[in-house]
Amino acid sequence: MKFALTSVMASLESCRLAVLKACANNSRYFNKLPSLFFSMHYYDRLAAGYNELHEEEQLKKLQVLLKHVTFRGKILDVGAGTCLVARHLDKNIQCISVDSSKEMLAKGVGERHVAKAESLPFSNGIFDGVISLTALHHADFQQALAEIKRVARP
């Protein structure tokens, strides 16, 4: 199953890159690329096999981060996907997971919210830390950063 799913994912990625290349040559479409790929429930469709394909890679990123950062208190994971961060942080840390994919979050654990990085459904200054392993490139970075700053404690 893993090989078949990996092959399908590689084929999808090849198609996505071909479309990106074609659209890059036509500025009329280039600015619409994020919505072309991610507003069509892209990650909802990948949810069933996401961990099998990406968990090892994501876990390595988290382990590198945890060598340099100590989290305490209440943490927000933006673009949490299947809640890998929530599953691997110390149990004394309250990790709230946010992702735009309901199906990805359904594979996760703990407190989960369907939301976009650009519009976080939380009050100002309620998180002791914010983490995002590999999601912010899917967002309007400046808007997402403003939201992260808003919800994080100074």
Side-chain angles (χ1 to χ4, degrees):
M1 176 64 178
K2 185 174 183 176
F3 175 76
L5 192 52
T6 303
S7 297
V8 168
M9 291 304 299
S11 296
L12 286 173
E13 182 65 8
S14 295
C15 290
R16 187 181 73 82
L17 291 174
V19 171
L20 283 171
K21 185 176 179 182
C23 289
N25 294 323
N26 186 334
S27 62
R28 181 173 62 149
Y29 295 110
F30 188 72
N31 293 331
K32 297 179 182 177
L33 286 177
S35 62
L36 285 172
F37 287 104
F38 301 109
S39 68
M40 296 182 293
H41 308 289
Y42 177 76
Y43 283 100
D44 283 347
R45 294 191 308 264
L46 296 180
Y50 186 85
N51 283 347
E52 189 175 354
L53 288 170
H54 298 290
E55 184 171 34
E56 184 178 335
E57 169 195 349
Q58 301 289 48
L59 190 52
K60 285 179 185 177
K61 292 174 188 175
L62 179 61
Q63 289 168 342
V64 167
L65 181 65
L66 292 176
K67 286 181 184 177
H68 303 282
V69 178
T70 301
F71 290 103
R72 290 186 180 90
K74 190 175 186 179
I75 304 300
L76 177 64
D77 182 10
V78 178
T82 59
C83 306
L84 176 118
V85 171
R87 286 181 297 176
H88 289 91
L89 283 181
D90 185 281
K91 299 302 176 203
N92 295 324
I93 298 169
Q94 181 185 5
C95 184
I96 314 259
S97 302
V98 171
D99 199 280
S100 61
S101 170
K102 182 179 178 182
E103 296 301 320
M104 292 283 278
L105 287 173
K107 304 287 181 194
V109 297
E111 186 177 334
R112 295 162 278 173
H113 299 268
V114 177
K116 293 188 174 200
E118 300 92 340
S119 181
L120 297 172
F122 305 104
S123 300
N124 296 348
I126 64 165
F127 293 100
D128 298 301
V130 179
I131 187 171
S132 183
L133 288 180
T134 56
L136 293 181
H137 62 285
H138 295 304
D140 175 309
F141 184 76
Q142 293 304 320
Q143 237 182 323
L145 186 57
E147 279 292 279
I148 288 169
K149 287 178 179 180
R150 182 184 66 75
V151 301
R153 287 194 178 107

